[in-house]
Amino acid sequence: MLDYKFDLSAASQLKRSPPSGIDIVIAGGGPGGLFAALHCYRKGHNVRVLESGRGYDLNGGYIRIGGSVIDNLDAFPGLREAVDLIDHDSKIVVYSADGEFVSGPIYPPKGGGLPFAGISVHRSALSRLLYEYAQALGLEVQFNTRIASYYEDEMKGGCVSKTGERFEADLVIAADGIGSHSAELVSTEGKNEVVGSGLAIFRSTFPAKDSYKNPEVKKFFRDPHPGSGVTIMMRAQQGYGVIFADDELVSLNFNHPDSGDASERWDQKTIKDAVLAYLEEDKFCQVIRDAVLAAPDDAFFNWRLMFRNPTPNWVSPHGRVVQLGDAAHTYLPSSGNGATQALEDGVCLAACLQLAGKSQVSLAARVYNKLRFERTSCLQKIGFRNRAHTMKSSNEEFKQRKGPIVGKWVTAHDPEAYTYEKYGLCVNHLLMDAPFQNENTPPGHKYVPWTMDDFLNGNDDPGKETGDWS
C-alpha cells in the first residue's frame, strides 16, 4: 500500500475559468486522464472520470514528470508541494550485472531546458495524488468501469462499459491506454500494425521493507545513498536492468528476450521462478537475485515490448471522441517521455476546448490533434533510437549513459502557452488551408512520416536528418 498523506486543503483556492458548459467524460483514471480532468475543470469544463480499476495499487513503475509540465503543476494550489512528497529524488548509478561499480552518481537536473530533466515518481503514487486532488475539487471518479466500446453522433460522444452502462457527453476523451476500443471508431487507416520487439520486461514494485530485511540487499540499494532515491542501471549480456529504490519502495525492471509468454496486461502475473531463471542465465549478481526472492510471490509482471507505428489521427469522424496518452501514441519505456507526453496532451486539449467553446468542440479536438501529433511522433522515434542504441552498445558505452537523454526542445516546451499561441493559426489552417508549421519539434526540423519498419530494417534515425535534436 502507498502510505503518503497529502495536505490538499489549498485546492479550494484554485482559480477556475468561467463555466464553458462543455460536458466531458474521460475514460481512464491514470495520470494522463486525471491530469486532463484537472485541467479541464480549471478551464471551466464539467468533467467525469471513469476508471477500470478498483483503486490505485502498485501496478506500473516509475515515470517522469518532465520539465515541460512541471510548471503546470503550479496552477493547482498545493499540488507541487504534494508532488515533492512522492518525488523519488533519484541519482543514477551504473553497475555491471555482476555487481561491480562502474560509474556515478549522476544527479539529473529537475528544471526545464536540460537533458533528462524532471521528477521521478511512481505511477500509482501520482495517480492517487491526482485522484485525491480531483476529489478535493469535487470531481466524480467512478471505479470498476472498463469501457468496451465508443460511439458518437454529430452532437454527442459516448462510451459503453463492459456491464452495459452508457455515458454521453459533448466530448469523450479516451485515456484508457494500449488496446483502447476507441481505435475502432477513431482509426481511418485500419487497425495499427503491432510487431513484437523480441523483448519483454519483468516488472515489479513492492514495499522496500520486504527487500531490506536482507542486510546485503539493503547494503547494496540504500546504504550508499542515504536521504535520496537511487536508480541503478545494470548491463548484462542479453538484456539490462533498471532498479529504482528508496526508503519506501523498490521497483525492479529487467529487459530480457521474450520467450513467448509475456503480455501487455497488468492482470496477468508471472512466477518469480521465471525471473530468477533469467537473472541466473544472464549472470546477474546474487544480491539482485536476493532482492527478487524477497519480493512478494505475486509481485511480478512480464510486460511484452511491442512496436507500433505512429498514428496521425486521434479524433473520431464527428469529433466527439478523442484519444489521449497511450491510446493515441504508445511509447517504448526507453523514450523516457511517455508519461510526460500524456500530461502535455491534457494541458493542450483543455486549453483548446476553452478557446473553442461549446459550439466548436469538434474543431477543438482536431486542433489538439494537429498541435500534438508531430511532437509526440518525434518522441516516439527517440524511444526506438534509445532502445536500439542501448541493445547495441558495448559495456564501455553503457557506462557513459545518463538515462534516456532528451533535448531542450522537449523539456523547455510549455504546452499551454503553445496552445494559446498557435490555436488561431491552426484553425485557419484546418478550415481555410492557410500555411501552418508546428514549432514544438526540434528547431529547424521538417517532419517526415516514418514507420517502425525503418527501425526494423536497421535505420536508427529515419527522418532525423533535419533540425537540432540536442
Side-chain angles (χ1 to χ4, degrees):
M1 295 294 294
L2 300 170
D3 297 324
Y4 302 106
K5 305 296 182 185
F6 304 117
D7 178 5
L8 302 178
S9 57
S12 61
Q13 302 170 23
L14 176 70
K15 295 180 180 179
R16 192 183 184 206
S17 299
S20 67
I22 300 173
D23 295 326
I24 298 171
V25 165
I26 301 177
L34 289 169
F35 204 58
L38 295 185
H39 276 278
C40 284
Y41 177 83
R42 173 176 161 248
K43 297 300 182 184
H45 317 319
N46 307 313
V47 188
R48 183 181 190 182
V49 180
L50 310 174
E51 163 57 24
S52 62
R54 294 172 294 179
Y56 297 109
D57 54 24
L58 285 177
N59 284 352
Y62 278 86
I63 58 177
R64 182 159 289 274
I65 305 175
S68 58
V69 290
I70 286 176
D71 289 344
N72 292 108
L73 302 175
D74 294 331
F76 300 92
L79 184 58
R80 179 70 171 267
E81 293 77 7
V83 167
D84 287 342
L85 292 177
I86 61 173
D87 180 3
H88 182 56
D89 193 23
S90 178
K91 51 186 152 183
I92 301 171
V93 182
V94 180
Y95 287 84
S96 60
D98 61 9
E100 181 184 354
F101 175 79
V102 173
S103 65
I106 300 163
Y107 295 86
K110 295 184 179 182
L114 293 168
F116 207 35
I119 296 173
S120 289
V121 297
H122 192 273
R123 183 185 188 278
S124 295
L126 179 60
S127 295
R128 206 194 85 183
L129 168 57
L130 296 177
Y131 164 70
E132 291 190 15
Y133 204 99
Q135 291 290 98
L137 296 176
L139 275 64
E140 180 182 358
V141 179
Q142 178 174 318
F143 291 98
N144 295 310
T145 308
R146 186 177 297 276
I147 300 305
S149 64
Y150 291 81
Y151 64 93
E152 68 172 345
D153 58 27
E154 292 184 358
M155 300 304 296
K156 296 285 183 181
C159 56
V160 184
S161 73
K162 278 197 167 184
T163 60
E165 193 173 2
R166 301 173 72 88
F167 306 90
E168 288 191 351
D170 296 311
L171 183 69
V172 174
I173 301 175
D176 46 353
I178 296 171
S180 171
H181 290 283
S182 61
E184 298 160 12
L185 179 65
V186 168
S187 178
T188 58
E189 302 173 357
K191 188 175 181 180
N192 191 7
E193 184 182 1
V194 180
V195 175
S197 68
L199 294 173
I201 306 178
F202 288 125
R203 311 177 79 165
S204 177
T205 301
F206 50 91
K209 59 182 177 61
D210 293 332
S211 273
Y212 298 165
K213 291 176 183 176
N214 183 316
E216 292 302 314
V217 174
K218 185 175 184 296
K219 179 180 178 181
F220 188 78
F221 284 0
R222 298 304 302 134
D223 288 357
H225 316 291
S228 72
V230 61
T231 300
I232 298 172
M233 304 180 70
M234 308 184 80
R235 182 72 163 95
Q237 295 302 311
Q238 300 181 62
Y240 59 94
V242 181
I243 299 166
F244 301 88
D246 56 25
D247 292 334
E248 301 296 328
L249 297 173
V250 170
S251 180
L252 305 176
N253 305 269
F254 303 109
N255 287 252
H256 65 96
D258 183 6
S259 60
D261 55 355
S263 70
E264 291 184 303
R265 296 183 57 162
W266 291 116
D267 58 352
Q268 290 188 356
K269 300 191 177 184
T270 192
I271 58 174
K272 284 200 296 186
D273 285 348
V275 185
L276 291 166
Y278 159 69
L279 295 177
E280 181 175 2
E281 180 182 358
D282 219 2
K283 297 181 172 53
F284 277 83
C285 58
Q286 186 61 46
V287 71
I288 301 302
R289 300 184 214 177
D290 288 343
V292 171
L293 285 167
D297 289 338
D298 62 348
F300 280 91
F301 300 84
N302 193 11
W303 186 268
R304 178 168 289 158
L305 293 177
M306 305 296 288
F307 292 158
R308 290 174 171 85
N309 291 326
T311 52
N313 182 58
W314 309 344
V315 182
S316 59
H318 291 303
R320 297 294 176 169
V321 175
V322 63
Q323 296 173 325
L324 179 147
D326 276 349
H329 43 75
T330 304
Y331 284 82
L332 294 172
S334 50
S335 71
N337 217 255
T340 295
Q341 293 312 303
L343 301 180
E344 284 189 19
D345 285 349
V347 175
C348 175
L349 181 54
C352 284
L353 291 166
Q354 179 194 32
L355 293 169
K358 187 176 176 70
S359 65
Q360 297 291 334
V361 167
S362 299
L363 179 60
R366 294 171 59 202
V367 172
Y368 151 77
N369 191 165
K370 180 66 178 179
L371 294 180
R372 296 289 303 151
F373 168 68
E374 291 179 1
R375 176 174 174 82
T376 60
S377 178
C378 286
L379 282 157
Q380 284 174 297
K381 189 187 303 179
I382 286 178
F384 274 84
R385 193 171 71 247
N386 281 343
R387 175 205 161 272
H389 288 181
T390 296
M391 297 309 297
K392 292 177 181 179
S393 64
S394 66
N395 285 334
E396 188 61 34
E397 291 169 333
F398 193 80
K399 294 177 184 180
Q400 308 304 318
R401 286 179 57 84
K402 299 180 175 64
I405 303 301
V406 293
K408 184 175 180 179
W409 66 275
V410 181
T411 58
H413 178 63
D414 182 337
E416 185 170 274
Y418 184 79
T419 301
Y420 287 142
E421 176 188 352
K422 299 296 184 182
Y423 183 86
L425 296 171
C426 190
V427 167
N428 289 339
H429 170 71
L430 293 174
L431 297 183
M432 296 178 286
D433 203 26
F436 179 78
Q437 177 67 47
N438 267 308
E439 296 178 353
N440 55 358
T441 57
H445 177 63
K446 181 175 175 57
Y447 180 75
V448 177
W450 61 277
T451 72
M452 59 186 170
D453 288 339
D454 292 309
F455 290 92
L456 296 176
N457 293 331
N459 180 7
D460 290 349
D461 301 310
K464 185 183 177 297
E465 64 279 358
T466 61
D468 180 6
W469 289 61
S470 63

